[in-house]
Amino acid sequence: MTAARLRTTPLAWVYLVAGLAATGLYFALPWDSMGQWVLYDVIGVSSGVAVLVGTRRHRPALSAAWYLFAAGLTAFAVGDVLFNFYARIWHRDPPIPSVADVFYLAGYPLLAVGLVLIVVHTLPKERRQGLIDAGLLTVAFGICHWIFVMHPLVSGPGDWVGQLVALSYPAMDILLLAALVVLALTPATRTASYRYLTGSLVLLIVADEVYGISPGTFSGTSWLDAGWLLSYVLWGTAALSPSMRDLSKPSPASRPSLGSMRLLALWIAVATVPIILIVERLTDRRIDAVALAIASAALSGLVLVRLAGLVRSFDRVRREERIARAEAQSAQRQLLQQNEQLREADRLKDEFVALISHDLRTPLTSIMGYLELVLDEDNLSEEQRGFLNVADRNADRLLRLVNDLLFVARFEAGELELHPTELDLAAVVRQSVEESGPRAAAGGVELTCEASAASPVQADKGRMFQLVDNLVSNAIKFTPEGGDVRVSVTPVNGVVRLEVADTGVGIAPEEQDRLFERFFRASTASEHQIPGTGLGLYITRAIVEAHGGSIAVRSDPGEGSSFCIELPARPRG
Ligand code: ADP
């Protein structure tokens, strides 16, 4: 709860509790006593004052509406005071029309205009057709009111001025009811203030209605006064409640829906005229054909407008949907086109790489052949031999890179050729480890191999060497001086398992999923400035999968890595 709420909420409560207590006291006092009518007038006046205080305190965005409420309630209260003066001080019935009537009748439009201001201000554009629903209910209420309350007044005794004043009260109630219905159908935030306000309006209208049906029964004090008194109290409470500010805020836009409650309300409105006809027929009353015809025409007109609104909004939604679908389709077409272009670019690139690699390989192999021939000569100085060895190493690196690129291009084009034969993977591993021995020794890494059990597989020998070389050379490359690399091959449960484990730099867990992507290099590789292309593991996985096997990695940064490959074992015999 905010500090502001703590400060302001109790005031609304104090007024509400005091108002309820005062209303209770009113009925506890001797009926028709001086104390009673003074209390009645005090409650009335307090309501106007409470609205004024609440408005000044909370400063709502739409203060004009609340000032109109204060004015309307004060007009009612002055009407009450004058009415009581006639009865108790001047001891006579008020003339028709009296000054009290002037104030009473002035109060209604002030309240109604205030309510309309709030509704118009808070109603989002999309909900404006909800006003038609309110119109339907109001016309239905109006025709009932005319037939059962107002018409008997017109046909009763009295001059036209008296009749006009008598008619004005029920007419004002229709005005208030219209505002109440609109307020109820508006999706305004249902705050405490909103509830007090609608409660107050309902009490006011009900009390007026009961009085209007049989005014003679309620001269002097009556239980009906409770309705008017509580209506005063609730209106004042609504203004003192801090949530009155939210009543002036525009409500969020949303389309009007035809929920079951609303449909029921609309059905009642439309069924009013036939129901009245039946009631008039059953009670042998004169049928008010003109009034009923006018009401019926008005109701059907409103229904028609409502239907037209629904159809129009349905059309709009359909139009919007069509546009959205067309946009989605064109976006999808564009995406397909772009995908096609990307695929084509990718294919061209692979083709280009394959072409270049192929053209590079031939001269490279020739260079390396001649270098080997020259290195075989005995009459080379140490310096010359050193230079030629450097040239040979670099040509070898270049050839490996070209071979890798060529492999990738062929693999991507679906042209990877395998020549499987029956071979012992343990023998391949032993040979590969032996060949890597010098490199491990040069790096100060201890390289061990456990591959004694025969591990027959059906595989391409060259590719198997490539695969083992890749893993072993990686393990040596990424293991600092003093570390170990252990290679093992074991036949287990119908598969041959090859494991290359090292105590090297390791790979961060979040990067392990990407290790087998083309050109991917983990951050540990760049941190330790270890050279490479990021193609080795991609190629390794391609070879493993082409042989129907699988590859997995376990690694901890700073601790080491372990690559495990499983290939289907070739059954003996
Ligand atoms: P390259 O070794 O040429 O960089 P690879 O495809 O063989 O490319 O490996 C991809 C990346 O995986 C390497 O750059 C390195 O970051 C990581 N990696 C592979 N093997 C190991 C290993 N044994 N220890 C640590 N990192 C490794």
Side-chain angles (χ1 to χ4, degrees):
M1 222 189 236
T2 61
R5 260 183 131 182
L6 267 175
R7 254 197 342 266
T8 46
T9 308
L11 193 59
W13 275 103
V14 168
Y15 182 75
L16 179 65
V17 172
L20 291 177
T23 309
L25 180 66
Y26 175 81
F27 290 103
L29 288 172
W31 284 41
D32 284 325
S33 66
M34 172 90 159
Q36 238 191 357
W37 65 263
V38 169
L39 191 57
Y40 192 107
D41 292 346
V42 167
I43 294 175
V45 172
S46 80
S47 158
V49 174
V51 174
L52 261 186
V53 170
T55 313
R56 298 212 63 88
R57 207 177 161 95
H58 303 311
R59 302 188 180 282
L62 205 66
S63 46
W66 293 90
Y67 285 129
L68 283 170
F69 293 159
L73 292 168
T74 310
F76 279 171
V78 173
D80 291 341
V81 173
L82 291 171
F83 196 79
N84 283 328
F85 263 65
Y86 278 112
R88 299 170 205 275
I89 310 273
W90 299 318
H91 297 290
R92 65 183 177 94
D93 279 345
I96 297 178
S98 71
V99 208
D101 288 324
V102 174
F103 279 95
Y104 278 142
L105 291 176
Y108 287 99
L110 290 170
L111 296 183
V113 172
L115 287 168
V116 168
L117 270 184
I118 283 189
V119 167
V120 170
H121 191 74
T122 55
L123 207 60
K125 257 207 175 69
E126 290 79 358
R127 299 292 300 223
R128 296 267 153 98
Q129 48 170 294
L131 285 178
I132 301 167
D133 298 352
L136 273 165
L137 289 172
T138 310
V139 170
F141 175 76
I143 182 68
C144 291
H145 214 53
W146 169 260
I147 293 203
F148 299 111
V149 181
M150 293 165 81
H151 199 214
L153 288 175
V154 181
S155 28
D159 61 354
W160 68 271
V161 185
Q163 283 184 351
L164 194 70
V165 172
L167 273 182
S168 301
Y169 283 97
M172 291 301 168
D173 280 336
I174 296 180
L175 197 68
L176 277 193
L177 184 103
L180 173 69
V181 172
V182 176
L183 201 65
L185 294 182
T186 303
T189 357
R190 304 289 199 239
T191 56
S193 177
Y194 170 89
R195 286 176 218 279
Y196 290 132
L197 195 62
T198 42
S200 167
L201 269 168
V202 170
L203 284 170
L204 176 60
I205 294 169
V206 169
D208 275 4
E209 281 306 288
V210 178
Y211 181 79
I213 290 169
S214 46
T217 330
F218 302 103
S219 52
T221 300
S222 78
W223 287 106
L224 206 55
D225 293 342
W228 287 304
L229 287 173
L230 289 177
S231 163
Y232 275 134
V233 173
L234 290 186
W235 210 305
T237 312
L240 287 173
S241 162
S243 60
M244 62 95 83
R245 256 185 252 120
D246 299 334
L247 260 181
S248 314
K249 282 190 194 145
S251 39
S254 61
R255 294 201 188 285
S257 59
L258 266 181
S260 44
M261 279 313 287
R262 191 176 283 247
L263 271 179
L264 182 73
L266 293 184
W267 178 81
I268 291 175
V270 176
T272 312
V273 171
I275 292 173
I276 292 178
L277 271 172
I278 293 172
V279 171
E280 288 194 326
R281 188 62 194 255
L282 291 179
T283 53
D284 280 336
R285 285 168 68 111
R286 201 174 59 81
I287 294 195
D288 296 87
V290 178
L292 288 174
I294 292 172
S296 187
L299 286 172
S300 4
L302 285 170
V303 168
L304 219 63
V305 176
R306 181 73 162 102
L307 271 181
L310 275 180
V311 171
R312 260 201 300 274
S313 71
F314 184 63
D315 279 350
R316 199 174 46 241
V317 169
R318 275 237 308 255
R319 232 183 355 262
E320 284 168 4
E321 192 195 313
R322 256 203 308 278
I323 294 172
R325 194 169 313 141
E327 278 172 2
Q329 275 168 355
S330 112
Q332 201 182 6
R333 260 197 309 279
Q334 261 179 14
L335 210 67
L336 279 176
Q337 244 168 23
Q338 280 168 355
N339 269 350
E340 200 44 55
Q341 284 168 353
L342 279 176
R343 259 201 294 275
E344 179 61 10
D346 211 38
R347 200 184 56 74
L348 282 176
K349 184 205 69 198
D350 285 345
E351 224 169 68
F352 174 73
V353 170
L355 208 76
I356 296 287
S357 311
H358 192 266
D359 285 358
L360 278 175
R361 207 157 70 138
T362 324
L364 253 180
T365 351
S366 152
I367 292 171
M368 287 175 74
Y370 284 111
L371 276 174
E372 217 169 296
L373 281 179
V374 180
L375 277 166
D376 279 347
E377 291 292 325
D378 296 330
N379 54 354
L380 292 175
S381 70
E382 271 313 298
E383 195 181 24
Q384 283 170 330
R385 193 170 290 281
F387 289 157
L388 286 172
N389 270 329
V390 172
D392 188 46
R393 266 205 314 278
N394 280 312
D396 188 50
R397 264 177 66 181
L398 210 56
L399 185 65
R400 253 181 293 138
L401 175 62
V402 166
N403 277 340
D404 281 357
L405 286 173
L406 210 53
F407 180 101
V408 172
R410 288 212 182 114
F411 176 69
E412 291 289 316
E415 292 169 6
L416 180 61
E417 274 184 29
L418 292 180
H419 303 288
T421 54
E422 187 184 332
L423 58 94
D424 181 9
L425 190 65
V428 173
V429 168
R430 279 196 302 272
Q431 189 183 330
S432 174
V433 169
E434 202 181 309
E435 285 169 10
S436 302
R439 212 167 342 129
V445 172
E446 189 176 328
L447 177 62
T448 51
C449 176
E450 260 177 60
S452 45
S455 308
V457 288
Q458 183 77 12
D460 183 314
K461 194 168 177 184
R463 297 297 173 211
M464 285 300 112
F465 270 108
Q466 192 178 1
L467 177 159
V468 181
D469 280 347
N470 273 347
L471 292 181
V472 174
S473 65
N474 269 352
I476 296 172
K477 193 164 68 169
F478 291 106
T479 303
E481 201 175 345
D484 297 325
V485 172
R486 275 168 290 105
V487 186
S488 65
V489 185
T490 33
V492 268
N493 300 334
V495 295
V496 171
R497 182 178 299 150
L498 161 68
E499 190 174 358
V500 181
D502 63 54
T503 55
V505 294
I507 305 148
E510 65 277 11
E511 291 179 328
Q512 291 177 13
D513 282 346
R514 302 193 54 203
L515 281 185
F516 302 98
E517 288 175 15
R518 261 195 298 182
F519 302 111
F520 179 77
R521 310 207 66 228
S523 47
T524 39
S526 30
E527 274 161 24
H528 293 81
Q529 296 181 332
I530 302 166
T533 56
L535 285 175
L537 287 180
Y538 176 77
I539 291 173
T540 306
R541 188 177 65 171
I543 296 173
V544 170
E545 288 179 354
H547 285 84
S550 62
I551 182 166
V553 60
R554 269 199 333 268
S555 183
D556 281 317
E559 299 285 318
S561 316
S562 160
F563 286 84
C564 185
I565 283 171
E566 287 187 349
L567 292 173
R570 189 191 145 80
R572 278 164 218 266

